[in-house]
Amino acid sequence: MSSLISTQEEDLAEAELAAAISAAVAAPDSEVLVGLGGASAMLYFPVKNDLKPQYNEGRRSGEKELVFLYLFIRGLGETIRLMLAEAQASYTHLASPMGEPQELAMEWRKRSPNGLTPIMSGLGVPRSEPLCQSSAIIRYLASRYGMDGGGGELERARCDVLFETARDFKNKAKEIVAGDYSTSGAKGAVITAGNILKMMAYMGDVGEETSAMNYGQVQLLNSLLAMDEERKGCVGELSAPLEEWLQKAAGRTGIREYLKSGMRFPNVTPQYKFDTGPMIRGDTKKI
Ligand SMILES: N[C@@H](CCC(=O)N[C@@H](CS)C(=O)NCC(=O)O)C(=O)O
């Protein structure tokens, strides 16, 4: 599949990125941010880190650096942010509060193939024709950084099985947070938790800093963190081994720092406002 992208279009997309970064840098640290809506520019995070040795350099010779754009909420960006934090990848992240004009938001409505976020470019993906669809981005990044089982098709498929199951598990969050285990069988939380542990039996040990995490494991971490934040201890009540896994995964270098940083945005209300109340732009610069 060949792509006929003109240099002119690519230059235009680079100029859109530069304009978004300039506006974000110029925005005052005192600006009040409530979640989605009402901000003058995107949030800009130039993430610089030393890639962990167990992962592959995502960027090949001649390719542009990774730019990842999502909204100024956790939402569909969070597994991707957690993956990049785990790998300690360097990249540019832009988070849109959706109040800013599209000229200062990389024209994502026009550039994104489905007109929605998240989008990514770089690492072989043109700026002017980014990738969209969160799961497609997750799989692309997993393949580039070596977070897909490190082997052949079957290993990749096993990671995908875990990835999809972790997403099914997230749909049970309400029950798990409430401690309601009344759904029986393989659709219930108890059996799913046991099956997830079995799926991970032959995967990298998250307690071992030098092991590689795969994208299914990162998706699981994202799901478990969300549940545990809603009601501390609910994962442990469901499954002690899963709780132990969660603690080890959340404590890994890269992930631990990310979770404490200003890039880990607060949870939002159904109206997409931070449930912890308004913050100021300067708060997001905490590292
Ligand atoms: N299936 C898509 C869904 C994308 C999506 O719904 N994106 C929302 C944010 S979570 C968006 O960009 N909304 C902007 C709008 O509706 O204008 C994915 O996984 O990426």
Side-chain angles (χ1 to χ4, degrees), residues 249-262:
R252 282 172 73 88
T253 313
I255 290 176
R256 188 181 57 232
E257 289 78 15
Y258 167 73
L259 292 175
K260 285 187 294 193
S261 78

PDB file of all heavy atoms in Angstrom, residues 249-262:
ATOM      1  N   ALA A 249       3.166  -4.165  39.328  1.00  0.00           N
ATOM      2  CA  ALA A 249       3.143  -3.454  38.032  1.00  0.00           C
ATOM      3  C   ALA A 249       3.150  -1.940  38.249  1.00  0.00           C
ATOM      4  O   ALA A 249       3.873  -1.205  37.572  1.00  0.00           O
ATOM      5  CB  ALA A 249       1.933  -3.889  37.218  1.00  0.00           C
ATOM      6  N   ALA A 250       2.346  -1.472  39.219  1.00  0.00           N
ATOM      7  CA  ALA A 250       2.256  -0.025  39.465  1.00  0.00           C
ATOM      8  C   ALA A 250       3.556   0.522  40.050  1.00  0.00           C
ATOM      9  O   ALA A 250       3.824   1.720  39.958  1.00  0.00           O
ATOM     10  CB  ALA A 250       1.091   0.270  40.399  1.00  0.00           C
ATOM     11  N   GLY A 251       4.350  -0.359  40.630  1.00  0.00           N
ATOM     12  CA  GLY A 251       5.598   0.083  41.266  1.00  0.00           C
ATOM     13  C   GLY A 251       6.796   0.033  40.338  1.00  0.00           C
ATOM     14  O   GLY A 251       7.917   0.370  40.738  1.00  0.00           O
ATOM     15  N   ARG A 252       6.601  -0.388  39.087  1.00  0.00           N
ATOM     16  CA  ARG A 252       7.740  -0.485  38.164  1.00  0.00           C
ATOM     17  C   ARG A 252       8.278   0.893  37.816  1.00  0.00           C
ATOM     18  O   ARG A 252       7.519   1.852  37.691  1.00  0.00           O
ATOM     19  CB  ARG A 252       7.298  -1.199  36.870  1.00  0.00           C
ATOM     20  CG  ARG A 252       7.209  -2.698  37.013  1.00  0.00           C
ATOM     21  CD  ARG A 252       6.605  -3.304  35.791  1.00  0.00           C
ATOM     22  NE  ARG A 252       7.488  -3.322  34.629  1.00  0.00           N
ATOM     23  CZ  ARG A 252       8.348  -4.296  34.359  1.00  0.00           C
ATOM     24  NH1 ARG A 252       8.449  -5.340  35.163  1.00  0.00           N
ATOM     25  NH2 ARG A 252       9.103  -4.234  33.272  1.00  0.00           N
ATOM     26  N   THR A 253       9.590   0.955  37.646  1.00  0.00           N
ATOM     27  CA  THR A 253      10.224   2.213  37.217  1.00  0.00           C
ATOM     28  C   THR A 253       9.547   2.648  35.921  1.00  0.00           C
ATOM     29  O   THR A 253       9.256   1.829  35.060  1.00  0.00           O
ATOM     30  CB  THR A 253      11.731   1.971  36.951  1.00  0.00           C
ATOM     31  OG1 THR A 253      12.241   1.241  38.033  1.00  0.00           O
ATOM     32  CG2 THR A 253      12.485   3.260  36.782  1.00  0.00           C
ATOM     33  N   GLY A 254       9.347   3.909  35.779  1.00  0.00           N
ATOM     34  CA  GLY A 254       8.677   4.420  34.571  1.00  0.00           C
ATOM     35  C   GLY A 254       7.195   4.596  34.874  1.00  0.00           C
ATOM     36  O   GLY A 254       6.686   5.717  34.822  1.00  0.00           O
ATOM     37  N   ILE A 255       6.540   3.516  35.227  1.00  0.00           N
ATOM     38  CA  ILE A 255       5.102   3.604  35.539  1.00  0.00           C
ATOM     39  C   ILE A 255       4.921   4.358  36.861  1.00  0.00           C
ATOM     40  O   ILE A 255       4.075   5.249  36.974  1.00  0.00           O
ATOM     41  CB  ILE A 255       4.470   2.195  35.609  1.00  0.00           C
ATOM     42  CG1 ILE A 255       4.418   1.597  34.201  1.00  0.00           C
ATOM     43  CG2 ILE A 255       3.080   2.240  36.234  1.00  0.00           C
ATOM     44  CD1 ILE A 255       3.916   0.187  34.118  1.00  0.00           C
ATOM     45  N   ARG A 256       5.746   3.999  37.847  1.00  0.00           N
ATOM     46  CA  ARG A 256       5.635   4.641  39.171  1.00  0.00           C
ATOM     47  C   ARG A 256       5.779   6.163  39.039  1.00  0.00           C
ATOM     48  O   ARG A 256       4.970   6.922  39.577  1.00  0.00           O
ATOM     49  CB  ARG A 256       6.739   4.066  40.072  1.00  0.00           C
ATOM     50  CG  ARG A 256       6.662   4.474  41.518  1.00  0.00           C
ATOM     51  CD  ARG A 256       7.809   3.886  42.320  1.00  0.00           C
ATOM     52  NE  ARG A 256       9.116   4.265  41.795  1.00  0.00           N
ATOM     53  CZ  ARG A 256      10.104   3.402  41.499  1.00  0.00           C
ATOM     54  NH1 ARG A 256       9.939   2.108  41.672  1.00  0.00           N
ATOM     55  NH2 ARG A 256      11.250   3.824  41.011  1.00  0.00           N
ATOM     56  N   GLU A 257       6.786   6.604  38.302  1.00  0.00           N
ATOM     57  CA  GLU A 257       7.021   8.049  38.142  1.00  0.00           C
ATOM     58  C   GLU A 257       5.864   8.699  37.372  1.00  0.00           C
ATOM     59  O   GLU A 257       5.425   9.794  37.703  1.00  0.00           O
ATOM     60  CB  GLU A 257       8.335   8.316  37.385  1.00  0.00           C
ATOM     61  CG  GLU A 257       9.601   8.013  38.172  1.00  0.00           C
ATOM     62  CD  GLU A 257       9.927   6.525  38.244  1.00  0.00           C
ATOM     63  OE1 GLU A 257       9.336   5.736  37.459  1.00  0.00           O
ATOM     64  OE2 GLU A 257      10.760   6.138  39.086  1.00  0.00           O
ATOM     65  N   TYR A 258       5.405   8.002  36.347  1.00  0.00           N
ATOM     66  CA  TYR A 258       4.307   8.553  35.541  1.00  0.00           C
ATOM     67  C   TYR A 258       3.064   8.773  36.408  1.00  0.00           C
ATOM     68  O   TYR A 258       2.407   9.817  36.328  1.00  0.00           O
ATOM     69  CB  TYR A 258       3.973   7.613  34.364  1.00  0.00           C
ATOM     70  CG  TYR A 258       2.667   7.967  33.712  1.00  0.00           C
ATOM     71  CD1 TYR A 258       2.562   9.099  32.909  1.00  0.00           C
ATOM     72  CD2 TYR A 258       1.510   7.221  33.953  1.00  0.00           C
ATOM     73  CE1 TYR A 258       1.346   9.467  32.352  1.00  0.00           C
ATOM     74  CE2 TYR A 258       0.298   7.581  33.403  1.00  0.00           C
ATOM     75  CZ  TYR A 258       0.220   8.704  32.600  1.00  0.00           C
ATOM     76  OH  TYR A 258      -0.991   9.085  32.068  1.00  0.00           O
ATOM     77  N   LEU A 259       2.748   7.785  37.250  1.00  0.00           N
ATOM     78  CA  LEU A 259       1.522   7.883  38.055  1.00  0.00           C
ATOM     79  C   LEU A 259       1.552   9.058  39.033  1.00  0.00           C
ATOM     80  O   LEU A 259       0.512   9.555  39.442  1.00  0.00           O
ATOM     81  CB  LEU A 259       1.271   6.563  38.803  1.00  0.00           C
ATOM     82  CG  LEU A 259       0.903   5.367  37.922  1.00  0.00           C
ATOM     83  CD1 LEU A 259       0.805   4.085  38.746  1.00  0.00           C
ATOM     84  CD2 LEU A 259      -0.413   5.606  37.172  1.00  0.00           C
ATOM     85  N   LYS A 260       2.770   9.488  39.377  1.00  0.00           N
ATOM     86  CA  LYS A 260       2.885  10.627  40.313  1.00  0.00           C
ATOM     87  C   LYS A 260       2.990  11.964  39.565  1.00  0.00           C
ATOM     88  O   LYS A 260       2.995  13.019  40.177  1.00  0.00           O
ATOM     89  CB  LYS A 260       4.150  10.450  41.185  1.00  0.00           C
ATOM     90  CG  LYS A 260       3.984   9.389  42.281  1.00  0.00           C
ATOM     91  CD  LYS A 260       5.166   9.376  43.216  1.00  0.00           C
ATOM     92  CE  LYS A 260       6.415   8.926  42.519  1.00  0.00           C
ATOM     93  NZ  LYS A 260       7.574   8.582  43.248  1.00  0.00           N
ATOM     94  N   SER A 261       3.139  11.905  38.252  1.00  0.00           N
ATOM     95  CA  SER A 261       3.437  13.113  37.483  1.00  0.00           C
ATOM     96  C   SER A 261       2.177  13.901  37.120  1.00  0.00           C
ATOM     97  O   SER A 261       1.059  13.398  37.241  1.00  0.00           O
ATOM     98  CB  SER A 261       4.173  12.741  36.187  1.00  0.00           C
ATOM     99  OG  SER A 261       3.243  12.237  35.241  1.00  0.00           O
ATOM    100  N   GLY A 262       2.400  15.109  36.631  1.00  0.00           N
ATOM    101  CA  GLY A 262       1.299  15.970  36.190  1.00  0.00           C
ATOM    102  C   GLY A 262       0.659  15.498  34.901  1.00  0.00           C
ATOM    103  O   GLY A 262      -0.337  16.067  34.444  1.00  0.00           O
TER     104      GLY A 262
END
